Amino acid sequence: MSVWIMIWKVVFVIALSAFAVLAVGATIGGARDVVTLLNKLKQDRSNTKSDQ
Amino acid sequence: MNATPEQVVELLRQTNFSTLDWAIVVVYLCVSLVIGVWVKQYATDMAAYIGAGRSVGVWLGVATMTGTELGLVTVMYSAQIGFTGGFAAFHIAVIAGLVTFVVGATGFVVAPLRALGVLTIPEFYERRFDRKTRVVGGVLLSVAGVLNMGLFLKMGSIFIVGVTGLSPDSGALTVVMTVLLLLVLAYTVMGGMISVIITDYIQFVLLSFGLLLTVGVAIWRLGWENIFQVVAAEKGAAGFDPLQGEGEFGPEYVLWMLVVGLIGCAVWPTTVARALAMESTQAVRRQFMWSSISFTARFLIPNFFGICAFVFFSTHSTEMRELFLSPLPGGASSAFTPSLYAMPVFLGHLLPTGVLGIVAAAMIAAFMSTHDSYLLCWSSVITQDIIAPLAKSEMTDQRRIFITRLLIVAIGGFLLFWGLFYPLEGDTIWSYMAITGAVYFTGAIPVLVGGLYWKQASTAGAFSALLMGFTALVGLEPVRQTLAKTLAPVMGDSETIAAALSAERCGLAALLLTCVMFVAMSLLFPDTRPDARQRD
């Protein structure tokens, strides 16, 4: 049982640390991507309007 | 001592949730709704409505995929598994993370699907096989998908009722279910995938930091070593070793989780929909490799909350221990399921006012981000893969969007009905979801994998494998019980038969059956014409 306890402790610490890093990365990078996405959709919409 | 219904209500009311917490939740909901409705202006055609114009970057892809797959229902059922199974439940998280990383590194299924430029999985069925397979695949996918999300609404509402201290018997559950549903429907109907992705991003930010904060507070209040010691004392080795047959899991369960983990990232339509919305196949791979972290965390953190709830109720007070860890007396409270209420009630006791409001808003964010994606996914499959192929004339984008919106509302109505009337006894939520999902994925695995990687895969093989997926329904608790009672006169004790027909065994058997059918029928009835990819 003590081996399993050690395994789950290590797994938990590693997974949680990785998730914290991911949360920060995706928050910053995601904000940039949202702006890019909206700009592209805005561009698409004006292209559609000019085609009409 | 057994708790009376009045004592149950009184104990549940002992929460730190206050007016300030309600205010935080309401402000969050308003902001989310306004943004979701604001981006409606960009949903001008079907590709934008259901695929966000295929312009999603890697980080936004990671955030939105995490937001979708880390739903409140995931938090609830994972907490339930952690509460009942202890640390042994962590094996589900480890398997999910490893499998997602391998799929990302190899591009297995998701990269070739994105390269083909299809909008939905059944669209691939038509390109590879024929239109009939697309329609059958669409029907199966939508039936399984809608059934699969049948309990989402109820789980979300149980969380809110549990954390806020409302009475589970007072009708509060129904009111909360209705309000939550109306909120999600409002912005999903209007803005489609663009609303879903933008709101998912906001929900991801709130949810990630809310979860991390809660883990910190839980460890601080309960003590790191104490959590392990209490589980060891109460559950013994079965609380840590997932392979122990006498615990909650065992080797068959672990194998079943390996299959479910693969499906969760490579075949499940809401995840694949995210891959199909990415800007390139390279971005898809990176998205999956990064998401392996969140695919681990989405099980691991709620498992941990369930474990902490178990430790808290084991050691907090005699009343709480009786209420949550002893079998419930028949008449105590019909709407009260201890293993489901444990985590939200625990959070209501653990977190201070203010922090509780932020965490509740984060959990509601989790609820909404999953609902919106699932509603959009199943409704667009019905429109694109069932109604449009069967329509006599070509449907315009505006007509498709209109039908998709109507379907979103109709599925919402079903969720309310199903959540109110489906009996929760017997199945854990996770088993229910794995089995309803299996109706689709047991057929979809051979058809997708074979269709992409095996030249001899034929329409007859695909068609029969998809239909065979329905055999997975045997794994549902009401079906198992009925079958066991029917077979009892010829095969012996009905309880033994029901136990032998475990959910994981039924799921694995259904998968084996669909694979055998797919290969056998493909070899016996090969296609006489090349598939659409070769014709193109």
Side-chain angles (χ1 to χ4, degrees):
Chain A
M1 188 164 72
S2 56
V3 175
W4 279 108
I5 292 177
M6 187 50 68
I7 290 171
W8 295 137
K9 278 181 180 176
V10 171
V11 164
F12 185 74
V13 171
I14 292 175
L16 206 70
S17 310
F19 184 66
V21 171
L22 178 81
V24 174
T27 299
I28 299 165
R32 251 194 330 254
D33 285 348
V34 167
V35 174
T36 312
L37 173 70
L38 290 179
N39 284 338
K40 192 205 172 254
L41 289 169
K42 208 180 282 179
Q43 185 68 42
D44 288 350
R45 196 178 52 160
S46 48
N47 287 346
T48 312
K49 275 184 184 165
S50 60
D51 286 348
Q52 288 167 349
Chain B
M1 188 205 89
N2 281 328
T4 63
E6 292 74 27
Q7 284 172 313
V8 169
V9 171
E10 192 45 46
L11 285 170
L12 293 184
R13 277 202 185 128
Q14 295 168 9
T15 170
N16 298 330
F17 205 88
S18 69
T19 314
L20 172 67
D21 300 303
W22 275 115
I24 292 170
V25 168
V26 170
V27 167
Y28 162 71
L29 288 175
C30 292
V31 169
S32 215
L33 190 65
V34 167
I35 292 174
V37 173
W38 173 69
V39 297
K40 170 184 182 287
Q41 56 185 308
Y42 298 109
T44 48
D45 59 29
M46 200 60 184
Y49 189 76
I50 70 171
R54 290 200 184 102
S55 312
V56 179
V58 174
W59 286 113
L60 185 55
V62 170
T64 186
M65 195 148 97
T66 307
T68 301
E69 300 307 326
L70 212 170
L72 182 49
V73 69
T74 315
V75 175
M76 288 293 284
Y77 69 64
S78 298
Q80 186 185 31
I81 299 172
F83 185 82
T84 55
F87 284 96
F90 276 10
H91 78 275
I92 302 170
V94 173
I95 289 173
L98 287 176
V99 170
T100 309
F101 186 83
V102 171
V103 167
T106 58
F108 182 65
V109 176
V110 289
L113 270 184
R114 173 62 190 86
L116 282 170
V118 292
L119 275 174
T120 64
I121 290 172
E123 193 181 332
F124 164 72
Y125 293 163
E126 179 171 359
R127 293 192 66 180
R128 177 63 176 85
F129 303 107
D130 64 2
R131 180 159 287 193
K132 196 172 60 175
T133 312
R134 177 181 188 169
V135 173
V136 171
V139 170
L140 262 164
L141 182 51
S142 44
V143 168
V146 173
L147 271 179
N148 183 260
M149 72 178 299
L151 296 179
F152 284 19
L153 191 56
K154 186 168 192 171
M155 290 305 104
S157 306
I158 285 180
F159 174 83
I160 291 169
V161 167
V163 85
T164 55
L166 296 169
S167 165
D169 279 334
S170 66
L173 205 59
T174 313
V175 173
V176 173
M177 282 169 74
T178 311
V179 172
L180 286 177
L181 180 65
L182 289 175
L183 278 169
V184 178
L185 285 180
Y187 73 82
T188 312
V189 164
M190 288 190 220
M193 185 62 106
I194 305 163
S195 288
V196 168
I197 283 180
I198 307 282
T199 51
D200 273 7
Y201 169 72
I202 300 164
Q203 287 152 7
F204 166 82
V205 175
L206 193 59
L207 180 63
S208 308
F209 292 102
L211 288 176
L212 291 168
L213 181 68
T214 310
V215 169
V217 176
I219 293 173
W220 172 57
R221 293 285 298 273
L222 296 175
W224 174 246
E225 285 299 332
N226 181 51
I227 295 170
F228 287 88
Q229 283 164 7
V230 173
V231 173
E234 296 278 342
K235 293 185 186 288
F240 297 93
D241 181 357
L243 298 171
Q244 281 223 351
E246 59 268 30
E248 287 284 316
F249 310 108
E252 270 180 27
Y253 191 94
V254 174
L255 182 63
W256 178 228
M257 285 308 104
L258 193 64
V259 173
V260 172
L262 178 66
I263 277 82
C265 65
V267 183
W268 193 240
T270 50
T271 317
V272 174
R274 289 295 180 284
L276 300 180
M278 297 299 287
E279 58 197 4
S280 65
T281 52
Q282 202 53 37
V284 171
R285 288 179 175 213
R286 286 211 304 273
Q287 176 198 31
F288 273 70
M289 282 193 277
W290 277 109
S291 294
S292 64
I293 296 170
S294 54
F295 269 62
T296 307
R298 80 179 181 128
F299 293 116
L300 193 95
I301 295 176
N303 282 161
F304 187 69
F305 291 164
I307 294 166
C308 289
F310 176 81
V311 171
F312 180 77
F313 294 125
S314 298
T315 53
H316 184 66
S317 68
T318 316
E319 288 87 358
M320 285 293 193
R321 190 183 168 90
E322 284 286 336
L323 182 59
F324 285 97
L325 302 180
S326 306
L328 198 69
S333 175
S334 57
F336 181 72
T337 313
S339 62
L340 279 175
Y341 276 91
M343 186 271 291
V345 174
F346 160 68
L347 294 185
H349 282 73
L350 178 86
L351 300 173
T353 298
V355 174
L356 192 53
I358 295 170
V359 171
M363 294 297 182
I364 294 171
F367 169 90
M368 293 171 77
S369 59
T370 305
H371 262 78
D372 53 20
S373 300
Y374 275 59
L375 283 168
L376 186 68
C377 183
W378 309 134
S379 56
S380 56
V381 163
I382 298 173
T383 307
Q384 293 286 84
D385 303 311
I386 303 173
I387 297 174
L390 292 176
K392 285 178 183 154
S393 56
E394 185 63 29
M395 286 168 70
T396 63
D397 272 3
Q398 291 313 312
R399 181 102 187 124
R400 286 174 195 236
I401 291 174
F402 175 72
I403 292 171
T404 306
R405 284 175 168 154
L406 282 183
L407 287 166
I408 290 172
V409 176
I411 295 170
F414 168 80
L415 295 184
L416 192 59
F417 167 81
W418 195 252
L420 289 174
F421 296 108
Y422 184 84
L424 273 178
E425 298 89 15
D427 278 333
T428 62
I429 302 304
W430 181 226
S431 294
Y432 170 88
M433 290 183 60
I435 283 298
T436 48
V439 172
Y440 153 71
F441 69 66
T442 48
I445 291 176
V447 177
L448 265 177
V449 176
L452 285 167
Y453 299 105
W454 188 39
K455 278 185 182 169
Q456 282 164 285
S458 79
T459 307
F463 203 77
S464 50
L466 287 172
L467 288 178
M468 272 293 147
F470 271 116
T471 54
L473 278 178
V474 175
L476 275 182
E477 182 71 11
V479 182
R480 273 192 293 155
Q481 292 299 341
T482 310
L483 198 63
K485 280 178 192 156
T486 314
L487 293 173
V490 281
M491 294 183 70
D493 180 38
S494 67
E495 278 185 24
T496 316
I497 300 170
L501 291 169
S502 64
E504 55 269 26
R505 201 168 284 172
C506 292
L508 287 169
L511 179 61
L512 188 67
L513 196 62
T514 54
C515 290
V516 169
M517 281 298 285
F518 178 71
V519 173
M521 293 296 279
S522 293
L523 293 175
L524 285 171
F525 303 99
D527 283 340
T528 49
R529 58 179 194 134
D531 74 58
R533 294 173 303 168
Q534 288 160 324
R535 290 198 300 273
D536 293 345

